[in-house]
Amino acid sequence: MSFNESQSQDIEGATTAIQSQPDSKTRRYDRQLRLWAATGQSALESARVLVIGASATATSILKNLVLPGIGHFTLLDHATVSPADAGNNFFLQGTTSIGRNRAEEAVRLLSELNDNVDACADTRNIADVLASDPSYFLGFSLIITHNLSPVLLTRLADLLWENPSSTPLIPVRSAGFLADFFVQFHTHEIIESHSETSPSLRIDKPFPALLQAARALDFDTMDSTDHGHIPYVYLLVRTLDDWKATHNGLPPQTHADKQNFKSILAAQKRTPDQENFEEAIAQAYRAWTPTVVRPHLVELFNDVTLPSTPFGHLLAALRSFSERPPHVLPLSATLPDMKSDTESYVRLQNLYRAQAAEEREQFRALLPVPLENELVELFVKNAHGVQLLRGARYGALDTAPAKLIMYLDNLTRETATHLALSALDAWRSSPSRQNGGPTDSELREHVLTLIPGTELGKKEFSDAFGEIVRAPAADLPNVAAFLGGMVAQESIKMITKQYIPINGYCVVDLVDTWTGVLES
């Protein structure tokens, strides 16, 4: 039988859990709470989001923020609904909305999706707000724009970039079936990265209580039932301890050593179908894989510019903890599922919990300033996956021709599509542009100002230019729906500070159905 952490609760706790009914919020948001838990939901409900422009794409993004319960959103747009808007935007009421303000109409219908969300329509012109009230933009948790005028977008991006702790910005650009979006931020602290790599069980560096418990097991006097329920952690620690005693204190080194180690585990089976020993053999790599501080954390520890924030203080304490023998991170109390009986699993779990609690207090003593217990516990629990991302200013990539050329060699289609969209922005900003849309030659001319002397004969450029010439201003409903999901997903990552957001440009081509990333 297989047992995990949730199955080790006592009978009283289990009965209480069954009898207590979830509240209405838990029932409503059940699926997303499984993704980002109560901490993420609280952050979402405390967030204030500004979306500039009530286009089909912008309202699709908002739909995917309103449904999970964003705290507040403001939709800023001075324009009135046109027939084209009414034809492609699901959050306008068809011809009834024509002639009315776009923001007011969209807010009215978006608000019907979730009555717990506070919503506001701002009918001012963004140009006027930037000129007369720039501090207005600093009162939001996140700002999203769609196809904003390049001149106004640059002013907004520069305004937000001036302050290192200012509001993150996600500019979205689309034309026909092509699009890209960027996440602008200075630094982004992540405690709950939901790393796919689990924390170390320290098989190779067992803490004293674990080593003692493994050594105390008397395999010879055990009955077959108990022998078949020994958790694989004990089996690996015990076998590795015996191995080191005859190999100068070293774990298996060569391929032959590793195969021999597995053979020793297999020889301890009493019957061919003992699943716990099969599991130990499958997990044997843990015995010779050294428990070390992960490279991304070492890089953070070597950063002399750690922020003077609670996260920075936690990182400093983590660095101090890892510098002490045995040079590991604080132990996680969470055990993976494994073949065992309840009694043996709970006993092992209690060993890890006791050691984790002891190390958490050691970690707390290393903090340069006192911090809330909940924050410390959350950080220690997720220490193996914490991240500190450093972002870039919007538009910085287009002023780095060497980097663009490197990307063009390695990520040709992503770079060509991004450059084509940047060329469309440049054309829109050009005082000498003609009525109608850009021509292929005009787009090529603008790209060559970003990467002078580059050959633009590649098919990827021709495809991107062709789609933009065909539909330079089209905000297609299916593209809007796709971008609505993607941008909302990255927005939630930024707001909740969970999972790892895109750090750069996400490029989308729904002609050939692919996405790619150009990192900052």
Side-chain angles (χ1 to χ4, degrees), residues 331-399:
L331 186 70
S332 171
T334 303
L335 288 181
D337 193 12
M338 64 186 69
K339 306 298 178 183
S340 178
D341 58 14
T342 306
E343 183 179 353
S344 299
Y345 186 89
V346 171
R347 189 182 303 117
L348 177 64
Q349 189 176 64
N350 287 338
L351 286 177
Y352 272 83
R353 284 178 173 171
Q355 182 67 22
E358 180 181 330
E359 294 187 12
R360 185 168 59 247
E361 292 309 308
Q362 294 171 4
F363 173 87
R364 196 190 308 276
L366 297 171
L367 286 168
V369 296
L371 295 175
E372 294 180 0
N373 288 338
E374 288 185 1
L375 177 61
V376 173
E377 290 179 6
L378 184 68
F379 184 89
V380 170
K381 177 182 176 182
N382 296 280
H384 66 289
V386 296
Q387 299 271 351
L388 178 62
L389 304 184
R390 299 193 182 278
R393 180 180 59 82
Y394 175 72
L397 178 60
D398 288 349
T399 62

Side-chain angles (χ1 to χ4, degrees), residues 379-423:
F379 184 89
V380 170
K381 177 182 176 182
N382 296 280
H384 66 289
V386 296
Q387 299 271 351
L388 178 62
L389 304 184
R390 299 193 182 278
R393 180 180 59 82
Y394 175 72
L397 178 60
D398 288 349
T399 62
K403 196 170 186 178
L404 285 170
I405 291 170
M406 178 194 72
Y407 277 147
L408 196 56
D409 290 337
N410 300 310
L411 298 165
T412 305
R413 63 182 186 179
E414 291 87 347
T415 311
T417 302
H418 166 75
L419 287 171
L421 289 166
S422 293

Side-chain angles (χ1 to χ4, degrees), residues 416-451:
T417 302
H418 166 75
L419 287 171
L421 289 166
S422 293
L424 176 60
D425 272 355
W427 176 83
R428 285 172 174 161
S429 303
S430 174
S432 60
R433 77 176 192 181
Q434 301 297 314
N435 291 331
T439 64
D440 183 282
S441 60
E442 287 175 319
L443 294 175
R444 290 177 182 274
E445 181 181 341
H446 286 302
V447 168
L448 287 173
T449 64
L450 301 178
I451 45 173

Side-chain angles (χ1 to χ4, degrees), residues 196-345:
E196 294 182 0
T197 304
S198 58
S200 172
L201 295 174
R202 292 205 206 151
I203 302 296
D204 63 318
K205 297 178 179 178
F207 49 93
L210 176 61
L211 181 57
Q212 181 180 352
R215 284 173 173 171
L217 293 174
D218 189 349
F219 291 178
D220 294 335
T221 62
M222 281 185 183
D223 62 32
S224 296
T225 300
D226 290 340
H227 191 263
H229 288 131
I230 304 171
Y232 77 77
V233 172
Y234 286 139
L235 296 176
L236 290 178
V237 171
R238 172 69 170 270
T239 305
L240 181 61
D241 186 52
D242 293 342
W243 174 280
K244 287 182 176 179
T246 58
H247 291 80
N248 298 320
L250 297 174
Q253 301 291 304
T254 65
H255 176 72
D257 284 348
K258 294 169 185 177
Q259 294 303 115
N260 188 20
F261 185 87
K262 291 181 179 181
S263 298
I264 293 171
L265 284 169
Q268 298 177 60
K269 292 197 293 184
R270 292 183 181 176
T271 60
D273 61 346
Q274 281 189 279
E275 294 182 347
N276 58 331
F277 280 90
E278 290 296 328
E279 195 170 49
I281 293 168
Q283 298 289 328
Y285 70 91
R286 295 178 182 269
W288 55 75
T289 302
T291 299
V292 296
V293 178
R294 295 181 181 175
H296 82 276
L297 287 173
V298 173
E299 186 177 342
L300 279 180
F301 294 162
N302 293 332
D303 189 341
V304 297
T305 59
L306 288 180
S308 297
T309 62
F311 184 86
H313 298 318
L314 289 163
L315 272 181
L318 190 63
R319 176 174 56 198
S320 299
F321 187 96
S322 69
E323 289 172 348
R324 309 180 315 175
H327 306 292
V328 293
L329 300 178
L331 186 70
S332 171
T334 303
L335 288 181
D337 193 12
M338 64 186 69
K339 306 298 178 183
S340 178
D341 58 14
T342 306
E343 183 179 353
S344 299
Y345 186 89

